[in-house]
Amino acid sequence: MEERLTKEELIEVMAILMEEEGFEIYEPMAEGEEYLPDFLAVFEDENGERQQIAVQVEDCYTVKTEEAEKKAKAIAEHCRKSGESFFFVVPLECEEEGKKKFEEWGLSDVAEFIPVGIEFEEEGGEEKL
């Protein structure tokens, strides 16, 4: 049986991967905002300027929900106004559905679609990424 990660597990994995790539990870906080990214990834570019990326992670089930659509559209609108980047992340096993929603929701002008594949290896009874 193929193991699928939950949305919470995917968020954790993406945050760890981005930290390993040199990003600082923050929990978004904004008063009056109903829909926030799952986390913010911040990095410093070669000119010393800090760049912020809003990251929304959906699993194969949540990507089909109205809640995910409202969240994606709200984040996209914020990023259009602020000039911030936006990553829309889905598992590789539902890449087709995620890409369909990404296009349907009109995110391509402001967001980057990122399908993520994660393999588990069992070694000594433990699962490894």
Side-chain angles (χ1 to χ4, degrees):
M1 182 175 147
E2 187 177 313
E3 183 173 340
R4 289 194 177 184
L5 296 177
T6 66
K7 178 177 174 163
E8 291 73 25
E9 291 168 331
L10 284 167
I11 291 168
E12 191 174 323
V13 167
M14 277 304 297
I16 290 167
L17 291 173
M18 292 185 84
E19 277 183 321
E20 288 177 357
E21 292 297 319
F23 290 87
E24 295 175 34
I25 304 301
Y26 298 97
E27 187 175 325
M29 289 184 253
E31 287 189 34
E33 293 290 327
E34 187 175 355
Y35 298 103
L36 296 173
D38 294 307
F39 64 89
L40 300 171
V42 178
F43 71 97
E44 200 168 297
D45 66 18
E46 60 275 352
N47 300 325
E49 292 183 35
R50 291 175 62 83
Q51 303 290 324
Q52 181 169 289
I53 302 168
V55 181
Q56 178 178 353
V57 179
E58 298 297 341
D59 66 24
C60 292
Y61 303 106
T62 63
V63 74
K64 300 174 186 176
T65 65
E66 186 178 329
E67 184 78 9
E69 178 180 2
K70 288 178 180 178
K71 183 176 181 176
K73 288 180 175 180
I75 295 167
E77 189 58 35
H78 172 81
C79 290
R80 285 183 187 104
K81 292 176 184 175
S82 67
E84 295 171 11
S85 298
F86 176 17
F87 286 174
F88 184 76
V89 181
V90 299
L92 200 55
E93 56 265 18
C94 57
E95 177 180 8
E96 194 173 307
E97 180 71 22
K99 185 70 172 173
K100 179 181 157 199
K101 296 297 186 184
F102 181 81
E103 296 297 331
E104 188 180 298
W105 299 340
L107 306 178
S108 60
D109 67 313
V110 70
E112 187 171 334
F113 178 74
I114 302 176
V116 175
I118 300 168
E119 290 184 20
F120 289 91
E121 295 178 11
E122 289 197 29
E123 190 174 298
E126 292 183 28
E127 292 180 346
K128 294 182 123 188
L129 287 179

